[in-house]
């Protein structure tokens, strides 16, 4: 007979690994599938300064390595597969299809697939990815040592990228579409103290120029016709994220931006036995710590759900 797991966790960011730690300690039969980026978005984050327990800050990849080690210590089996399809609810059993064509059956699923970086969606952008256009300064900044570069966005990620680049590159333009930044005040203060960072408020990128590699950007000032040519060798996009929910479309309730909808104060989705945690369901807080928190909630809700299934089974036997 085919093995039926208690729980399958999809995703390996703070939500997925935290869920795994709790599920493992509850002695439930489970597997975690990492998805295409083991460790999730945090492995692309250089320094995390606001994760409690690390007064000196911690490198994103190190934090995720520790999450992984902790889950493995309690018995989580981790596989580097992608889940490519799901058949929800076959008599309370869900079926997952992996990229190696294997089918896995499970009583519960925790979806913790996170989010992926947004692009501007303008001409030439996709063509120049890897040739001057990047969504990760920690990964690609090194290639633009002593050059002028631009960071797009005014959130914490943009400022963090700019701070990282300020130690490597010559001049960093931060291009912000509004008259103020969305980033936390502490990050904003840091930026104003760095000499080689220049802020351009109210500017949006209109054109990306370059054949084989980025040559320059044309920006337009909002509410005016002013255009500016910015000579940079690289453009780092930090304009937010979209949830990784493509495989769940038309299968589970999503909001208009594609985030998984969950019940109030819960990680329960509209499908019994299926729970969502982390950035895939959170468009408000989007912090490593809140993701870890909802991962923990999902694991506790899985335990409760499985106990209620056991109870149903006992009642059936009594009839
Ligand atoms: P945010 O959504 O917070 O910020 C996105 C930024 O990009 C905003 O300034 C937004 O402008 C701008 N933007 C969005 N779309 C466009 C566009 N099409 N063109 C130009 N600009 C655009 O995303 P982040 O990735 O910065 O942060 C995500 C979460 O992660 C946040 O909660 C943040 O606090 C957290 N974080 C924390 C860090 C830390 O503590 N060290 C580090 C990194 C992230 P507008 O304001 O006009 O919408």
């Amino acid at each position: 007979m085919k093995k039926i797991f208690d729980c399958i966790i999809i995703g390996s960011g703070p939500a997925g690994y935290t869920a795994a730690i709790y599920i493992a300690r509850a002695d439930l039969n489970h597997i975690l599938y990492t998805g295409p980026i083991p460790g999730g978005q945090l492995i692309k984050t250089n320094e995390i300064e606001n994760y409690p327990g690390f007064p000196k800050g911690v490198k994103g990849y190190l934090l995720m390595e520790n999450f992984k080690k902790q889950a493995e210590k309690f018995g989580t089996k981790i596989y580097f597969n992608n889940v490519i399809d799901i058949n929800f609810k076959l008599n309370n059993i869900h079926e997952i299809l992996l990229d190696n064509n294997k089918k896995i059956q499970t009583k519960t699923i925790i979806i913790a697939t996170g989010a992926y970086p947004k692009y501007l969606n303008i001409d030439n952008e996709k063509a120049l990815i890897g040739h001057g256009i990047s969504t990760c300064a920690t990964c690609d900044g090194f290639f633009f040592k002593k050059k002028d570069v631009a960071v797009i966005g005014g959130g914490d990620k943009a400022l963090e990228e700019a701070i990282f680049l300020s130690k490597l590159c010559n001049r960093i333009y931060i291009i912000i579409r509004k008259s103020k930044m969305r980033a936390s005040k502490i990050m904003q203060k840091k930026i104003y103290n760095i000499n080689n960072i220049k802020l351009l408020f109210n500017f949006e990128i209109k054109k990306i120029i370059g054949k084989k590699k980025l040559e320059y950007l044309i920006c337009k000032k909002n509410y005016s016709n002013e255009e500016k040519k910015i000579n940079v060798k690289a453009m780092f996009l930090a304009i937010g994220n979209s949830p990784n929910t493509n495989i769940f479309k038309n299968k589970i309730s999503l909001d208009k931006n594609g985030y998984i909808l969950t019940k109030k104060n819960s990680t329960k989705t509209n499908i019994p036995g299926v729970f969502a945690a982390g950035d895939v369901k959170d468009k408000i807080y989007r912090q490593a710590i809140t993701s870890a928190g909802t991962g923990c909630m999902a694991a506790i809700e899985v335990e409760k759900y499985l106990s209620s299934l056991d109870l149903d089974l006992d009642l059936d036997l009594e009839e």
Side-chain angles (χ1 to χ4, degrees):
M1 214 174 81
K2 202 164 179 183
K3 180 168 183 172
I4 298 173
F5 286 90
D6 290 322
C7 183
I8 295 296
I9 300 160
I10 313 174
S12 53
Y17 281 137
T18 304
I21 291 165
Y22 278 76
I23 291 283
R25 288 172 60 85
D27 210 15
L28 297 172
N29 193 348
H30 71 292
I31 289 184
L32 180 147
Y33 292 107
T34 61
I37 306 173
Q41 292 183 81
L42 279 191
I43 57 151
K44 295 182 178 177
T45 306
N46 185 37
E47 196 73 28
I48 300 167
E49 292 184 329
N50 56 5
Y51 199 87
F54 296 90
K56 290 182 183 159
V58 56
K59 303 273 178 225
Y61 80 90
L62 253 179
L63 182 65
M64 294 326 295
E65 192 52 38
N66 282 338
F67 269 68
K68 176 171 178 274
K69 277 186 193 155
Q70 199 167 346
E72 283 175 326
K73 174 181 150 190
F74 295 117
T76 299
K77 295 265 180 303
I78 296 167
Y79 293 100
F80 298 98
N81 291 93
N82 284 336
V83 171
I84 57 170
D85 201 7
I86 300 190
N87 201 350
F88 286 123
K89 216 166 135 192
L90 311 159
N91 303 323
N92 284 332
I93 306 298
H94 310 285
E95 192 170 73
I96 282 176
L97 176 64
L98 299 174
D99 51 1
N100 58 7
N101 274 330
K102 250 187 166 179
K103 286 181 177 165
I104 306 289
Q105 295 196 332
T106 179
K107 293 179 202 165
T108 68
I109 299 174
I110 296 177
I111 301 172
T113 46
Y116 62 92
K118 276 192 201 161
Y119 284 88
L120 294 166
N121 291 321
I122 57 176
D123 281 355
N124 220 8
E125 184 183 38
K126 292 275 151 69
L128 292 181
I129 292 174
H131 303 281
I133 294 190
S134 167
T135 56
C136 178
T138 325
C139 321
D140 301 326
F142 179 79
F143 301 111
F144 302 97
K145 255 185 176 174
K146 301 205 165 65
K147 307 276 189 254
D148 289 355
V149 300
V151 174
I152 319 301
D156 281 324
K157 172 95 191 303
L159 302 203
E160 197 196 70
E161 299 278 77
I163 292 170
F164 176 80
L165 291 166
S166 70
K167 293 166 199 151
L168 282 176
C169 303
N170 182 46
R171 173 175 282 221
I172 299 94
Y173 297 93
I174 307 182
I175 301 173
I176 301 149
R177 67 177 172 180
K178 284 192 184 139
S179 56
K180 57 177 186 189
M181 291 183 263
R182 189 193 283 234
S184 53
K185 290 283 178 285
I186 190 164
M187 292 295 274
Q188 295 193 29
K189 261 192 201 159
K190 281 190 189 177
I191 285 286
Y192 285 113
N193 286 325
I194 302 176
N195 289 331
N196 62 343
I197 291 182
K198 186 171 167 51
L199 295 155
L200 293 176
F201 286 102
N202 286 313
F203 274 99
E204 283 194 67
I205 309 293
K206 280 291 154 215
K207 284 187 189 153
I208 296 170
I209 310 295
K211 283 208 173 110
K212 291 202 169 130
K213 58 184 181 179
L214 178 63
E215 285 163 24
Y216 61 94
L217 301 170
I218 303 279
C219 299
K220 185 186 163 297
K221 188 150 195 167
N222 291 326
Y223 318 111
S224 87
N225 289 327
E226 184 187 336
E227 283 198 345
K228 214 180 187 49
K229 178 180 172 189
I230 303 194
N231 279 313
V232 282
K233 296 285 178 241
M235 169 173 100
F236 294 91
L237 289 158
I239 58 169
N241 299 306
S242 297
N244 272 320
T245 47
N246 269 348
I247 60 166
F248 309 114
K249 268 183 195 154
N250 303 320
K251 297 197 170 194
I252 199 163
S253 291
L254 306 177
D255 74 4
K256 65 177 184 341
N257 298 314
Y259 288 87
I260 295 181
L261 288 168
T262 50
K263 307 238 154 82
K264 203 173 172 200
N265 299 327
S266 164
T267 63
K268 287 179 189 162
T269 68
N270 64 316
I271 299 174
V274 180
F275 303 81
D279 282 7
V280 75
K281 70 153 225 125
D282 173 18
K283 60 177 175 235
I284 300 172
Y285 303 105
R286 298 170 297 160
Q287 305 297 307
I289 188 74
T290 48
S291 285
T294 52
C296 160
M297 280 170 69
I300 292 172
E301 290 185 307
V302 160
E303 272 187 77
K304 278 195 186 148
Y305 172 84
L306 289 173
S307 312
S308 73
L309 283 187
D310 292 345
L311 215 62
D312 285 351
L313 203 65
D314 290 347
L315 291 176
D316 284 351
L317 289 176
E318 277 169 20
E319 276 173 6

